[in-house]
Amino acid sequence: MHLAVGSEGTGLLVSVLDTASTLHLPFYGPNVINHFFCEIPAVLHLSSEDTHRAGLVIFAAGLFILLGPLSLILVSYVLILCAMLRMRSTEHRHKAFSTCSARLAVVIIFYGTIISIHMRPMAMGSAGSGKLVSICYAVINPMLKPIIYSLRNKDVKAALRRAVGQKAAARAV
């Protein structure tokens, strides 16, 4: 219950901060966002006024909403790593490492791309510079999750090996 309320409350707080920091800005001229979807950094590039203060508010909110959960996730993975290193069975340790490393890779891709978009100074990039990076966290990362979780299934692994083996045999002919 506390996690759900905290998550919703944090989302509401950051939304109010983002909205309040952009509502007072004047927007004259082109009204087309050079991005795949409407994100606050892309909206700020449309303003005809200095957006330094709004950028600082967004950066501060990013510190809170991005680095807070990321630090908790990384601490939990460090604790998991310590527990894995204490395992006596090499087989169990290898299985735990393979599971955790794939999931940690997804976390790093997700948070790394979001942090690179939302926590860089406004002067460091053009309005369209974050398009490719945003695809990573909006499209590629959600696609990776089912693939990673299904590769833990022995039947899926066997089918993948058969498919790769058939393609390799077809190329050899």
Side-chain angles (χ1 to χ4, degrees):
M1 177 74 163
H2 292 290
L3 288 174
V5 169
S7 176
E8 292 295 323
T10 304
L12 180 66
L13 175 68
V14 170
S15 297
V16 167
L17 284 173
D18 287 347
T19 303
S21 64
T22 56
L23 275 180
H24 73 279
L25 295 172
F27 293 96
Y28 304 112
N31 62 355
V32 177
I33 295 174
N34 188 13
H35 211 287
F36 292 120
F37 43 89
C38 185
E39 286 191 305
I40 295 297
V43 172
L44 289 180
H45 280 285
L46 295 179
S47 176
S48 57
E49 191 175 284
D50 181 30
T51 59
H52 182 72
R53 179 179 284 162
L56 286 176
V57 169
I58 291 168
F59 182 81
L63 282 174
F64 179 69
I65 199 165
L66 294 174
L67 296 183
L70 178 61
S71 62
L72 291 174
I73 291 169
L74 292 178
V75 165
S76 69
Y77 272 101
V78 167
L79 295 174
I80 291 169
L81 179 67
C82 291
M84 286 189 293
L85 291 174
R86 288 190 302 262
M87 289 180 178
R88 297 188 197 282
S89 169
T90 313
E91 179 184 336
H92 289 123
R93 190 179 315 133
H94 176 70
K95 188 175 181 180
F97 270 118
S98 67
T99 300
C100 285
S101 62
R103 292 178 182 174
L104 185 59
V106 170
V107 168
I108 289 171
I109 291 170
F110 179 73
Y111 277 101
T113 53
I114 285 183
I115 287 170
S116 71
I117 291 279
H118 290 277
M119 299 202 59
R120 70 171 181 224
M122 293 296 291
M124 282 187 62
S126 66
S129 66
K131 281 183 175 180
L132 184 62
V133 176
S134 68
I135 288 175
C136 286
Y137 73 80
V139 178
I140 293 174
N141 201 20
M143 286 177 16
L144 283 177
K145 287 180 182 180
I147 293 169
I148 288 172
Y149 295 139
S150 66
L151 286 179
R152 302 299 308 150
N153 185 327
K154 291 178 183 177
D155 296 333
V156 173
K157 283 183 185 178
L160 184 63
R161 285 187 189 117
R162 282 194 305 272
V164 170
Q166 289 174 354
K167 285 185 179 184
R171 282 189 220 147
V173 174

